[in-house]
Amino acid sequence: MSKTFELKDDSVVVVIGSGAGGGTLSNELTQRGVNVVCLEAGPRLTLSDIVNDNGTMFGRLSWLDKRIGTGDLNPGLPLWVCKTVGGTTVHWAGASLRFQDHEFRVRTVYGEIPGANLLDWPGTLQELDPFYARAEDKMGGDQVQCAGINACKGQGACAGAHNGCAGKNACKGQGLTKTSAADCKAKGGTVVPEKK
């Protein structure tokens, strides 16, 4: 539902971008009764605008505006995000890797590295898990998840080739096969179907 707000209305939350982050946040806030204005730079495409041609869709989806920056930026190259309602989720494959447990403790795991500013996160993967699950539920995506301390040799979302927890998104992957599910179980994990 569309509404109009006064410019000085400080009860309104303005969200920039309607992709995976902005679109999900806007939806969550409005479901809780918060007034939201979600700004998107690009147009809203309809299904009739979508064609099975990479070149055509690149022109319709990509952020091709001239960019200004410093350093190694090549302003002639496109920015690999979509400028359309829904953002990059318009062509998203539905796979989004979760951080691995060790990535929350990089300073502890790797120690001091000259020239790098490594810090441990103030939270843990276990604390973030419910939020990952909510985000994945809201955005859609993977079919199953493989959970368990030893499921991926303690590495959280791991590369399937390393240990038999296979799939495009490791243990939380699209295309997790019966064989890899069995491997996952053999490593102490549990295969949990996505809630529909």
Side-chain angles (χ1 to χ4, degrees):
M1 175 169 57
S2 181
K3 295 182 182 178
T4 302
F5 302 100
E6 294 294 324
L7 292 177
K8 294 182 179 183
D9 187 343
D10 62 1
S11 70
V12 178
V13 173
V14 178
V15 177
I16 310 299
S18 64
T24 303
L25 176 62
S26 296
N27 177 271
E28 284 289 308
L29 292 171
T30 56
Q31 286 189 28
R32 286 168 172 71
V34 176
N35 289 321
V36 174
V37 173
C38 184
L39 301 176
E40 175 58 57
R44 180 174 190 267
L45 300 177
T46 65
L47 285 178
S48 63
D49 297 318
I50 308 296
V51 295
N52 191 16
D53 179 74
N54 285 340
T56 300
M57 290 312 300
F58 180 83
R60 290 182 185 175
L61 295 173
S62 297
W63 193 293
L64 300 173
D65 301 31
K66 182 180 177 183
R67 294 177 293 140
I68 300 170
T70 60
D72 296 333
L73 174 73
N74 180 344
L77 293 177
L79 184 60
W80 296 108
V81 296
C82 292
K83 185 178 177 181
T84 183
V85 172
T88 307
T89 63
V90 172
H91 73 79
W92 178 50
S96 184
L97 296 174
R98 292 182 176 199
F99 274 25
Q100 298 177 21
D101 184 59
H102 75 275
E103 292 175 291
F104 289 85
R105 304 175 288 110
V106 292
R107 176 65 180 227
T108 300
V109 171
Y110 301 108
E112 187 172 337
I113 297 175
N117 294 320
L118 299 180
L119 296 172
D120 289 345
W121 283 46
T124 66
L125 175 61
Q126 291 73 26
E127 292 171 318
L128 201 54
D129 267 340
F131 301 99
Y132 269 128
R134 283 180 60 197
E136 290 158 353
D137 183 54
K138 288 287 182 182
M139 292 182 285
D142 302 324
Q143 300 299 312
V144 298
Q145 66 183 17
C146 171
I149 294 172
N150 298 316
C152 294
K153 295 187 179 178
Q155 296 299 312
C158 56
H162 297 292
N163 54 40
C165 291
K168 289 181 183 176
N169 196 5
C171 286
K172 178 120 180 54
Q174 291 178 310
L176 188 65
T177 64
K178 290 180 182 177
T179 303
S180 59
D183 289 341
C184 182
K185 288 178 183 178
K187 294 185 182 308
T190 304
V191 176
V192 183
E194 180 179 337
K195 296 174 186 170
K196 295 289 179 187

